[in-house]
Amino acid sequence: MGLLDKQDNPFESSNIVITGADTLLNWARLSSLWMMGFGLACCAIEMMAASASHYDIGRFGVIPRPSPRQSDIMLISGTVTLKMATRTKLLYEQMPDPKYIISMGSCSNCGGPYWEHGYHVLKGVDRVIPVDVYVPGCPPRPEALLEGLIKVQEKVRKQSLGKTTV
Amino acid sequence: MTNTEIYDKLKSAFGPVIGEWHEQTGGEYMKRLSSYADVADTSFIRDVCLYLRDEPGLEFDSLLLLSSVDNGDKTLSVAYHLESKTMRHYIALKVTVPLDNAIVPSVTEVWSHANWQEREAWDMMGIKFLNHPDMRRILLDDDWVGHPLRKDYVYPDYYRGMKVPY
Ligand code: SF4
């Protein structure tokens, strides 16, 4: 608004902000990481707790979306069974770039309590899709999840149009 | 009625089809829930269940649980836990079949909620239920090989190109 008002002489009272294209894009991306509404097991309960008013993940610009095509970030919150792994991969492929994955909890990091006798559990979701941040715990507390989210934001902040990842 | 009285009634109606009564030790509650009657002739299980449901004074209107057991001696068992909500009594039945010919008549005609429980027994233990309306796997994918809760089950190395062991 300020800029439109002063179209004749925009430099009159320092209404112009100059920034790099990278910084602007990264700032926009990291402040609106829309999340896919997607929960797999008990960890999803902690994810819901993080989304509720007490921890309020919305402060970080995270809004749950019902479709992978509108999401920037996928939270793998729980046990990835082999049956679900094929679906998880499909959902990942449906997300538009740039996309980020947080693997939440021991199950999706490495198989968790099912590492030995879980004939039906994928031992780590990174066997089918690339993971940006691993959050350890069984389940991780909402604070830990928010820390993971901040790590993703840091990663986004360091991106550049020239090279896509750090 | 106590469950031994129900057993006696069943025995007088069916004779040699009904096998021995297995009284469990333990407290009153354990005795009531885990004592069971063998059904010696597997092919009669549907008729026995129909009798238990329709006979005045017995009126078993509910199949609490249908579960399967691998006995480890090349036999599989199916356990039926029945309850009458109106008469407030309880009985458990058990049939045993050989591992290589595990076929049991379905009781879905008697209690329709047996449907999914029999599908689970098929999925996990590989017991086929005759005349079941929809004998498919219920939890695992349709292309899964083997029945995982059997004692001789060999864990797969790969499933649809995904490595299964840790
Ligand atoms: S890591 Fe623990 S809490 Fe999370 S899904 Fe696995 S078993 Fe549940």
Side-chain angles (χ1 to χ4, degrees):
Chain A
M1 239 189 343
L3 286 177
L4 292 177
D5 288 347
K6 308 259 164 62
Q7 264 173 353
D8 303 337
N9 186 5
F11 294 97
E12 185 188 299
S13 51
S14 53
N15 263 320
I16 283 194
V17 180
I18 295 175
T19 178
D22 272 351
T23 322
L24 180 68
L25 274 179
N26 289 346
W27 169 77
R29 273 181 191 152
L30 70 86
S31 338
S32 64
L33 286 170
W34 288 4
M35 168 179 94
M36 212 174 91
F38 174 61
L40 290 183
C42 9
C43 273
I45 305 291
E46 290 303 287
M47 181 196 70
M48 291 171 215
S51 320
S53 53
H54 200 95
Y55 292 96
D56 193 13
I57 208 168
R59 287 179 290 163
F60 300 89
V62 176
I63 305 174
R65 302 305 300 173
S67 156
R69 298 188 194 281
Q70 300 174 347
S71 334
D72 307 296
I73 186 164
M74 177 150 68
L75 260 169
I76 313 287
S77 50
T79 319
V80 187
T81 58
L82 292 167
K83 196 176 179 181
M84 195 63 206
T86 47
R87 277 78 166 168
T88 308
K89 188 153 178 256
L90 188 71
L91 289 170
Y92 174 77
E93 282 161 0
Q94 287 178 338
M95 283 165 70
D97 276 324
K99 47 193 170 188
Y100 308 95
I101 307 289
I102 297 182
S103 160
M104 178 187 185
S106 307
C107 279
S108 65
N109 290 347
C110 63
Y114 310 102
W115 72 277
E116 192 176 7
H117 297 297
Y119 58 88
H120 62 303
V121 175
L122 188 69
K123 312 299 184 306
V125 75
D126 48 7
R127 289 187 182 181
V128 287
I129 55 175
V131 173
D132 293 285
V133 172
Y134 297 87
V135 182
C138 179
R141 284 188 56 89
E143 292 95 326
L145 180 60
L146 296 182
E147 170 80 21
L149 190 73
I150 291 166
K151 288 270 182 255
V152 171
Q153 291 189 330
E154 276 171 21
K155 188 168 173 168
V156 177
R157 188 175 276 122
K158 287 187 213 139
Q159 279 183 351
S160 157
L161 287 174
K163 53 181 175 53
T164 45
T165 44
V166 179
Chain B
M1 279 171 129
T2 65
N3 46 13
T4 39
E5 283 166 9
I6 298 166
Y7 171 74
D8 291 337
K9 190 160 180 182
L10 209 54
K11 185 94 187 156
S12 57
F14 282 91
V17 169
I18 306 295
E20 277 174 37
W21 176 252
H22 297 260
E23 182 79 22
Q24 300 292 315
T25 53
E28 208 37 56
Y29 184 74
M30 278 309 287
K31 259 193 194 148
R32 194 170 95 89
L33 283 163
S34 29
S35 306
Y36 64 92
D38 264 331
V39 177
D41 193 340
T42 311
S43 55
F44 274 87
I45 183 69
R46 187 181 152 276
D47 302 307
V48 171
C49 288
L50 215 51
Y51 172 81
L52 285 170
R53 189 191 69 178
D54 293 340
E55 181 70 13
L58 294 177
E59 292 163 50
F60 282 93
D61 46 23
S62 169
L63 172 69
L64 286 185
L65 173 71
L66 185 152
S67 64
S68 49
V69 188
D70 187 339
N71 299 315
D73 56 358
K74 301 264 173 235
T75 58
L76 303 172
S77 293
V78 183
Y80 302 81
H81 295 259
L82 315 175
E83 191 187 34
S84 168
K85 304 274 185 219
T86 45
M87 308 298 290
R88 297 192 150 273
H89 56 211
Y90 180 92
I91 196 169
L93 305 172
K94 202 174 198 177
V95 299
T96 301
V97 286
L99 190 87
D100 45 12
N101 186 27
I103 300 175
V104 178
S106 166
V107 294
T108 32
E109 288 169 33
V110 190
W111 300 285
S112 54
H113 46 283
N115 189 323
W116 282 15
Q117 304 190 37
E118 288 182 348
R119 279 177 66 189
E120 191 191 359
W122 159 244
D123 193 358
M124 291 292 140
M125 209 63 91
I127 297 168
K128 265 227 153 72
F129 290 89
L130 269 188
N131 299 325
H132 188 284
D134 184 22
M135 194 82 274
R136 286 180 298 137
R137 286 183 183 275
I138 190 167
L139 295 166
L140 295 166
D141 250 341
D142 290 335
D143 60 352
W144 194 271
V145 181
H147 301 282
L149 293 193
R150 280 194 182 180
K151 291 202 197 298
D152 59 0
Y153 179 67
V154 187
Y155 284 24
D157 282 336
Y158 282 89
Y159 174 72
R160 291 197 192 174
M162 293 176 282
K163 188 171 164 241
V164 179
Y166 183 70

